Amino acid sequence: MLVGKSCTFGRRVRCFLVKPLERCLFTSTGSMAKSKFEYVRNFETDDTCLRNCYIVVRLDGRNFHKFAEQHKFTKPNDNRALGLMTRSARSVIEELEDIVIAYGQSDEFSFVFKRTSTWFKRRASKLMTHVASQFSSSFVFYWKEYFGEQPLLYPPGFDGRVVLYPSNRNLIDYLSWRQADCHINNLYNTVFWTLVQKGGLTTVQAEDRLKGTLAADKNEILFSEFDINYNNESALHRKGTTLIWEKRDETVTKRMKRPNEEEKDVVVTRSRRKVEAYHCDIIGDQFWEEHPDILEDDNC
């Protein structure tokens, strides 16, 4: 017997429920009815992250070399793209407040969840997919704020991975590794594109020129041939972007009326948490000494 029932989703459609089938598909267990198909949940694997470990979700742009070329990114660094990456990362942190620090450079960003986080029951797949989807959608949503009328030709893609770090030293070393990678890549790209844009070399010639060179050699090329001191280049490009939560006092004026008094303006100061961006060294001890709230005690 077919029983008609109307429902609405976007437009009015006609749905049909086949009542005799209900007796076949659902069985009663206690007070809760369950589908006979529910056994398929047993195929899901347990991906709960180990307790007392920092959970790091790292995103990388998928095929971003092609993406940058097709969207005509400025070489060696496009501040619009870097600003958009940071804005997207900020959106992720504001959505998932258990993220205590994030670090980004080029087309990647790492998000660190605190050790005690219980978001999504610490399921790696849930954490990674939520970070990736929030970041990707924010990248598209805020595109116009950074690129104006330049069209987004196709949706960007980001892949993710989850890594656990059991100690503060491990976590600091991981973030130091990513910042060292930023320095290595940016120094190479700065010299490479300077040779092309100012030195008149082709990309193949520039690549051949830099084969086997060390950091000192690259610095020497910049300084002796182009009068460029690499240390004076933008800290954003050399150090990447570090995002952390910080408390900031905000002063606002409110119109208030107290009993038996006239309405008047009252200055109110309140403390609020905001995501702040730094372009500084995180390999040395100074950053961590200045922001002790980021790390949790190893003895806990």
Side-chain angles (χ1 to χ4, degrees):
M1 176 182 177
L2 296 179
V3 179
K5 182 180 180 182
S6 64
C7 59
T8 303
F9 186 82
R11 59 189 178 87
R12 194 168 183 82
V13 297
R14 182 68 64 180
C15 303
F16 290 96
L17 300 178
V18 184
K19 281 197 170 181
L21 194 58
E22 290 179 355
R23 292 192 292 272
C24 301
L25 299 185
F26 299 94
T27 58
S28 178
T29 303
S31 60
M32 183 180 295
K34 292 187 177 182
S35 162
K36 74 172 186 177
F37 304 120
E38 195 166 355
Y39 78 93
V40 297
R41 294 182 62 183
N42 296 328
F43 287 86
E44 294 183 19
T45 57
D46 181 18
D47 63 348
T48 304
C49 294
L50 191 66
R51 293 177 61 186
N52 299 326
C53 291
Y54 293 104
I55 303 172
V56 175
V57 178
R58 186 167 95 232
L59 300 184
D60 290 278
R62 181 181 177 276
N63 202 4
F64 250 58
H65 177 76
K66 176 183 176 183
F67 185 88
E69 289 289 341
Q70 294 191 339
H71 288 88
K72 297 179 172 58
F73 282 11
T74 303
K75 305 293 186 180
N77 293 291
D78 192 308
N79 288 335
R80 300 169 303 170
L82 293 173
L84 179 56
M85 289 287 291
T86 298
R87 182 63 187 89
S88 302
R90 187 188 299 271
S91 174
V92 173
I93 299 173
E94 291 170 346
E95 177 72 16
L96 299 171
E97 295 185 8
D98 271 7
I99 295 173
V100 292
I101 186 171
Y103 176 77
Q105 51 113 350
S106 187
D107 65 339
E108 72 167 57
F109 242 101
S110 296
F111 300 89
V112 181
F113 287 82
K114 63 185 182 181
R115 279 174 163 169
T116 53
S117 177
T118 57
W119 280 77
F120 305 113
K121 298 181 180 179
R122 294 179 71 86
R123 291 189 60 184
S125 57
K126 290 278 190 177
L127 292 167
M128 181 178 67
T129 52
H130 195 105
V131 169
S133 62
Q134 183 74 26
F135 190 95
S136 300
S137 59
S138 297
F139 192 95
V140 174
F141 185 81
Y142 293 111
W143 173 269
K144 278 195 172 183
E145 286 190 18
Y146 294 87
F147 285 85
E149 296 305 312
Q150 180 177 330
L152 180 62
L153 301 178
Y154 57 88
F158 296 88
D159 64 74
R161 72 200 71 187
V162 175
V163 187
L164 305 182
Y165 293 100
S167 72
N168 290 336
R169 185 72 266 159
N170 293 153
L171 178 64
I172 293 173
D173 286 348
Y174 167 77
L175 294 170
S176 298
W177 170 49
R178 300 321 305 147
Q179 188 168 69
D181 185 74
C182 173
H183 164 69
I184 293 169
N185 290 336
N186 188 66
L187 177 58
Y188 180 91
N189 288 331
T190 299
V191 182
F192 179 89
W193 287 107
T194 299
L195 289 170
V196 172
Q197 296 168 353
K198 296 183 178 181
L201 300 186
T202 66
T203 55
V204 173
Q205 290 172 331
E207 187 175 352
D208 288 339
R209 174 78 187 277
L210 293 177
K211 280 182 181 178
T213 58
L214 303 176
D217 302 321
K218 296 180 179 70
N219 276 291
E220 181 61 25
I221 291 173
L222 287 173
F223 189 74
S224 62
E225 298 183 27
F226 302 98
D227 197 27
I228 295 174
N229 185 338
Y230 179 74
N231 292 325
N232 293 334
E233 294 294 293
S234 169
L236 165 63
H237 304 154
R238 292 184 294 110
K239 302 293 186 181
T241 300
T242 302
L243 299 175
I244 60 174
W245 286 103
E246 285 195 330
K247 287 184 178 180
R248 289 284 187 266
D249 288 336
E250 289 185 350
T251 301
V252 296
T253 302
K254 288 189 174 182
R255 194 75 175 169
M256 299 179 66
K257 185 179 186 305
R258 295 179 179 176
N260 303 321
E261 293 184 11
E262 293 184 1
E263 190 176 52
K264 61 180 181 180
D265 291 335
V266 177
V267 177
V268 178
T269 301
R270 58 188 179 186
S271 181
R272 300 186 66 177
R273 288 210 317 162
K274 293 183 65 177
V275 178
E276 298 290 341
Y278 288 89
H279 310 297
C280 63
D281 180 78
I282 59 174
I283 296 176
D285 295 332
Q286 183 177 345
F287 174 82
W288 303 100
E289 291 171 354
E290 292 176 351
H291 305 282
D293 295 338
I294 297 174
L295 302 176
E296 297 175 70
D297 192 344
D298 273 337
N299 296 322
C300 290

